[in-house]
Amino acid sequence: PPITGCALSAQLAQAQAVPGLLDAQRTAPSYVHTEAVQAALAKHKERKMAVPMPSKRRSLVVQTSMDAYTPPDTSSGSEDEGSVQGDSQGTPTSSQGSINMEHWISQAIHGSTTSTTSSSSTQSGGSGAAHRLADVMAQTHIENHSAPPDVTTYTSEHSIQVERPQGSTARVAPKYGNAELMETGDGVPVSSRVSAKIQQLVNTLKRPKRPPLREFFVDDFEELLEVQQPDPNQPKPEGAQMLAMRGEQLGVVTNWPPSLEAALQRWGTISPKAPCLTTMDTNGKPLYILTYGKLWTRSMKVAYNILHKLGTKQEPMVRPGDRVTLVFPNNDPAAFMVAFYGCLLAEVVPVPIEVPLTRKDAGSQQIGFLLGSCGVTVALTSDACHKGLPKSPTGEIPQFKGWPKLLWFVTESKHLSKPPRDWFPHIKDANNDTAYIEYKTCKDGSVLGVTVTRIALLTHCQALTQACGYTEAETIVNVLDFKKDVGLWHGILTSVMNMMHVISIPYSLMKVNPLSWIQKVCQYKAKVACVKSRDMHWALVAHRDQRDINLSSLRMLIVADGANPWSISSCDAFLNVFQSKGLRQEVICPCASSPEALTVAIRRPTDDSNQPPGRGVLSMHGLTYGVIRVDSEEKLSVLTVQDVGLVMPGAIMCSVKPDGIPQLCKTDEIGELCVCAIATGTSYYGLSGMTKNTFEVFPMTSSGGPITEYPFIRTGLLGFIGPGGLVFVIGKMDGLMVVSGRRHNADDIVATALAVEPMKFVYRGRIAVFSVSVLHDERIVIVAEQRPDSTEEDSFQWMSRVLQAIDSIHQVGVYCLALVPANTLPKTPLGGIHLSETKQLFLEGSLHPCNVLMCPHTCVTNLPKPRQKQPEIGPASVMVGNLVSGKRIAQASGRDLGQIEDNDQARKVIVWCCDCHSALLQFLFLSEVLQWRAQTTPDHVLYTLLNCRGTIANSLTCVQLHKRAEKIAVMLMERGHLQDGDHVALVYPPGIDLIAAFYGCLYAGCVPITVRPPHPQNIATTLPTVKMIVEVSRSACLMTTQLICKLLRSREAAAAVDIRTWPPVLDTDDLPKKRPAQIYKPSNPETLAYLDFSVSTTGMLAGVKMSHAATSAFCRSIKLQCELYPSREVAICLDPYCGLGFVLWCLCSVYSGHQSILIPPSELETNPALWLLAVSQYKVRDTFCSYSVMELCTKGLGSQTESLKARGLDLSRVRTCVVVAEERPRIALTQSFSKLFKDLGLHPRAVSTSLGCRVNLAICLQGTSGPDPTTVYVDMRALRHDRVRLVERGSPHSLPLMESGKILPGVRIIIANPETKGPLGDSHLGEIWVHSTHNASGYFTIYGDESLQSDHFNSRLSFGDTQTIWARTGYLGFLRRTELTDANGERHDALYVVGALDEAMELRGMRYHPIDIETSVIRAHKSITECAVFTWTNLLVVVVELDGSEQEALDLVPLVTNVVLEEHYLIVGVVVVVDIGVIPINSRGEKQRMHLRDGFLADQLDPIYVAYNM
């Protein structure tokens, strides 16, 4: 084809473009790279990078005894660099070329046990004695943190212990208390104090990072992710536009055959005795010699049988042009060759593939898709291979996963019919019919078939013959896979065209004897050998004791992967060692090839030893921008490349820009090499679109015109054409990773990793490098197989050094570096690593690494800018009537308590008239209500307690409760000698005694405090909390049952607390028989009725004061909201110790007269269906539970709904099922509960939630009337900025929020700015403030700390209504006016809770709620059952509970880091993997994150794994 300009001017132009590319570099040593890496590491050593080592549980540390170890098995040849038994230092960097060998290699090869261990990496000034990791690793035991907290002083940080669930949820008690020793890698307990490691991490992270980035792009909202701006100083290509390079003329020699079959026919008939192929057994003895005569006759026989013996005469299975697959093992090239030529003679199209070893072979499914799309129905195979395939019990070969149904046909001669005399194959000249299909695996693991026509096949053989100077009857040694690529082209096809003799070395022989190919070269005086750099590398390892090696017969050593950047070191090292054995420098001929373009370029063998090969030492920095710069000043980051010779005869080559339109590159620019020639593939079989993009490319000049009218083919190789027309390849398109706009090549990164003391810790060639997309950019991941004899500490040091080396040399951060046990990465059939499969395993969390180091802090530079808080708008400009900045003020109230009374009275003239509201309104005190009920309805049952079998354990009528309370009052006054106003701690299990004791206190004028009793199985953690509440509440006396009385004085109790300091303990099982002289009546409704103590999730113990007036108002409010009166029954499954749970359990029935069915949540552990069966049995309309009860039912009864239905469980009468909570409603749980029990009649809208807090025990509660709870979707990113932005359901970053029930009667709410205390508008996020007659009257603190109280209980707005006194709830939320109407006809205001202010985490200037991050993390992997997050010194710590084997622990680290980055734009600092049940949860089902944090920092969690992200 005509080409603009001439090749000479192109060479001149290119020589000028990159001055000095080849002059000084003629002799550039290839070990520059290893030296560069060592120098880079030395530089880092001075900076003393302290990387905290992960903590690992001892059971996770693999026991590595060398005897039990077998070297990695790589079933067959290797794609990249497999591992032989003698994997070791690959690049000898000194002239002696000393090699590090291991004793088991030398044993395998020579049966000796000597082992030389001079590692060459130390000779190049390397980091042999690498610095130990940070000094905090002193080898000492950690101090034991199991001392109980001192609960007598109230300054101790640990004064508040975990409030354990006693009952409610079946979780294992966390193993705090006895801190088990943590181990580092090698099982040595060290002072691995978490706090020290975190400090180390923080110090390291403080180091200056890359320069800050400037521009942003908007990510569909105002969270601005940084976008990498081009560096103004980045190198840009400056050369002239390149010219296409034309190879020499393809000189067709007169006696070249017109087709390959014609060549076979010629040699088979005129030289039938000439050897064609010699195969070897595993001892290196010739197994079989195939002559040209035999090849010809057997191929004919195969051709005849394929066409005539499959199917019937009328309906043959295979016709000319059909595709058949060839399935032959790597040790049987002769059978393959016969079958391949049989197909060519029969004019059917062979599709050679690998032998499927198992039904689940990595990638074999994709091969199946290829066979299916090619319409293959017949598989040709050998006898031995057929016997070895997996069989079903009936002896049939099962269908492999994803494969079409195949007929297996054995091609051995003895199984075939002889063709009749008159039958003869049809031998034509080569034409455009398809000759064969070669498979190609893409980056994503999919398999394509490249079709090669007969004319391309012939032309390719001719071009190779000309370029390599092949002559008749030459001997060639082939180590490569003969089914595809260079091995097929030279060892099966071109050899037959030239009647050459091929000595085929199977991979199994190479594994036993890596020198076998060199020995065969000597033995057969071979002229040519085809190898990969791996084979040269292995020969180096093993060559020691070989005396009689002579390689002077070789005129050409073809290096099939010579285009790979790391092959140059193998070539140099090989030459270095074997030059003395007759190897000449000019014999080494690297070549470049691709499945699409076949041979792209090959170095020609010359006789002139004075002309050394071309070398380029290129700046790695320039290459990342696609620019060729000869490296001058910075010797560290360079890539040394060797040329792969000249363009093929008869071909034209150019390079085009890798992305976008195929525009010609400049002379100093890296591009994708494209080839225009007859000798290439023509299409991807059956994929016309992909074919067009690859096989029909028209390179454009800068002026926009195509350079020729002929199409070019993209080779998939990146490189440039250098001076003298030499082709240089610097990487593959498939290995390209674009990180922040710079291009990096996976192979270069592998080479750098290998140069870091490579052979000690990982296997050469068992390294996978790929990129994953996280947060809008590619992130580099390195996975390597760890040697079994390296310790944890060594491996970890190696990992941190690899990171440093890659950072120095490539100026790119590695996102994740993972080591897996030897032999566990998925393999390609030839033993290389199956890259796409490895990436898949990594992404789905099933890689099971044994070491992981993540570096998100270094890599992720495109996070949004930290938020700067804006000053609020001043008051003057915003208040206009009831509007704030143009919006209605966010305020709402429940019904008015007073007015309802009268309306209701008029409406309800019913039986209960005598007992209606007016009667109740005249009583100010609950004790009076109880006395009144005991007189008017003495036998009305108020309480029924159920046991775990669902039968009634106990019940109380009005009069029974009254009489019992009287006796308790007498006991308090006579035995306890208490005055009115004294505080009494009630330590009872959930039940009826608790209720009686409470009213007994009221009758005696004492102030009760309900306290959860200690858990008998867990006294050490639960008793200190009891002791603390008793002391903080200043209880003068403690009432309890006989059983608990004994528990409080037991030996176990004495070990946990000082039992001598208990106040007097009264046992109410033994009551006096008399009545009190009079029942105490308080003088003033504002006096104290009871104290309510609760441990918050942040670990704060807070007691609030409830006055008599507030208590009565509270009961009245609930009575009205839920329409409670004596004929009602309400089921309660809650803990009765604080908040709304206590009020419902103890107070409401006495006030409203309804019957309460009490179900202790702890009973559900033995019988999860207890609560729902009771609700069904008593036909209850209203029931109350906690989240832990709901979770227990959802998890415990999920599979039992059918059997429950059969037992008659019916929930159709339930109209309200309220979850009593002090948090954002858990929509996922309530929805799954509703869905699960829908079949049992539960109405989907029955389930709702309430909201309570310390200042007001119930603000909202879904009552019987009024609209159903609504759900809105808000943008999670706006919430971080304290803004509410409503979005559609299902939109990205949306978060569903459910209304927290209806506002109770007598409650007013306003939303205020927590900082400025100004009122906020509708749908604005702020703190919920509440004004109500049942607000608590203040904190009861031991010091009477008024400052805390005045703010929380007596706040005023800074502008607007500045008179009203509000209580601050500490919860963030917003009000939104809906379209619905309330019971009183007003528009309904819905309250949505987002989270507690003291739980929220301030990170990067934004407010995060732990639950949102935890929800994302739990979704990240199926084995994560629970998660809790907290911050420590600005680091985000994520604790996950693992439900699975400990081997899975390390899989979670990258997944957790990824999901938090993607969804929350946060970098996780520490990932802690623990056992199930370690995250402490209180009785309300809330996570105790602060306790978890204290336990973590005090080394008390016994984690499976702790990863510190760098």
Side-chain angles (χ1 to χ4, degrees), residues 1081-1099:
K1081 180 171 178 181
S1083 52
N1084 173 359
E1086 295 308 318
T1087 54
L1088 204 52
Y1090 70 99
L1091 290 179
D1092 184 304
F1093 271 88
S1094 152
V1095 178
S1096 77
T1097 52
T1098 49

Side-chain angles (χ1 to χ4, degrees), residues 846-865:
S846 37
L847 195 59
H848 307 330
C850 48
N851 265 309
V852 167
L853 185 52
M854 301 270 312
C855 306
H857 291 281
T858 339
C859 298
V860 180
T861 51
N862 61 335
L863 283 173
K865 248 206 174 119

